[in-house]
């Protein structure tokens, strides 16, 4: 199973974060399948790759440390594919999500940590 993690701290209010985050994931070809307000799960839309390569994104929004101006999000991006190559499909989607979060016009990236 391929699995990549990262954390982002962005300058945005909690009120605007949820909608902007959903837009970011949808722009990366993900469908939102679960949303509780502080946890969001999205799955890659089928059709482009085999079922085992479909990527799932889990986002935990850390509301306990959020301020009026900054919010921290923890991402887990994974699929069932064995990561036999460094540049596998899951890694490509991970890189796509990282760029989309970093370049989103609705917030300013404060910190990015890849784990």
């Amino acid at each position: 199973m391929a699995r990549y993690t990262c954390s982002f701290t962005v300058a945005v209010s909690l009120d605007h974060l949820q909608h902007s985050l959903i837009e970011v994931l949808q722009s990366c070809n993900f469908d939102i399948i679960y949303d509780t307000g502080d946890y969001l799960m999205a799955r890659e839309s089928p059709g482009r790759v085999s079922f085992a390569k479909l990527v799932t994104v889990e986002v935990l929004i850390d509301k306990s440390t959020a301020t009026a101006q900054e919010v921290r999000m923890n991402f887990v991006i994974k699929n069932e594919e064995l990561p036999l190559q460094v540049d596998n499909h899951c890694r490509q989607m991970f890189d796509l999500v990282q760029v989309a979060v970093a370049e989103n016009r609705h917030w300013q990236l404060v910190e990015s940590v890849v784990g």
Side-chain angles (χ1 to χ4, degrees):
M1 171 187 257
R3 178 184 172 102
Y4 303 94
T5 61
C6 59
S7 296
F8 295 101
T9 303
V10 293
V12 67
S13 69
L14 275 173
D15 296 337
H16 294 100
L17 176 70
Q18 196 77 8
H19 179 71
S20 297
L21 181 57
I22 289 171
E23 281 183 3
V24 166
L25 293 174
Q26 288 175 337
S27 74
C28 295
N29 200 34
F30 287 98
D31 297 323
I32 308 306
I33 57 174
Y34 192 71
D35 182 1
T36 65
D38 59 353
Y39 173 81
L40 193 133
M41 179 184 281
R43 185 171 299 141
E44 186 177 8
S45 303
R48 294 185 6 205
V49 294
S50 67
F51 185 76
K53 290 185 177 185
L54 288 176
V55 174
T56 301
V57 177
E58 296 181 26
V59 184
L60 179 62
I61 299 166
D62 190 357
K63 291 186 176 180
S64 65
T65 61
T67 65
Q69 295 84 23
E70 290 184 1
V71 181
R72 183 177 182 94
M73 302 177 289
N74 299 305
F75 284 70
V76 177
I77 300 172
K78 60 187 179 180
N79 70 0
E80 297 299 320
E81 173 185 24
L82 290 174
L84 300 175
Q85 300 173 344
V86 174
D87 189 28
N88 58 63
H89 179 68
C90 190
R91 180 62 194 214
Q92 292 168 359
M93 294 305 290
F94 173 74
D95 292 341
L96 179 66
V97 169
Q98 276 191 295
V99 169
V101 170
E103 295 179 354
N104 186 358
R105 61 184 172 88
H106 296 293
W107 59 54
Q108 181 180 3
L109 182 64
V110 175
E111 181 181 31
S112 174
V113 179
V114 177

